[in-house]
Amino acid sequence: MHISQLVINSLIFSGVGIAILFIAYFIIEKITPENTWKKITQENNTAVAIVFGALIIGISMIISAAIHG
């Protein structure tokens, strides 16, 4: 493969992974009873921020493993 094809593939898979991450975040935001973004930003709830950070890292690891195969 040419280097340009490898770069294009990396960009495509990165874009797909980021899109899946955003979709997963919005799904989780919809199924939680509270508005988590408001809790994190306006109420400075550190516990919610830590849980959501861990959730995003976990989803990112799953997406990464699925892309790499």
Side-chain angles (χ1 to χ4, degrees):
M1 281 189 150
H2 295 284
I3 190 76
S4 61
Q5 184 64 34
L6 295 174
V7 170
I8 291 171
N9 287 344
S10 295
L11 291 174
I12 290 171
F13 283 123
S14 296
V16 169
I18 290 169
I20 291 170
L21 181 63
F22 278 123
I23 291 168
Y25 170 75
F26 287 121
I27 289 171
I28 292 166
E29 183 71 30
K30 290 294 182 189
I31 63 173
T32 54
E34 296 287 331
N35 184 348
T36 55
W37 187 251
K38 179 182 171 191
K39 289 253 183 227
I40 294 170
T41 57
Q42 293 177 357
E43 298 177 18
N44 295 326
N45 192 330
T46 306
V48 174
I50 290 171
V51 168
F52 255 68
L55 184 75
I56 288 173
I57 290 171
I59 293 170
S60 298
M61 290 173 69
I62 292 169
I63 293 169
S64 174
I67 288 174
H68 286 283

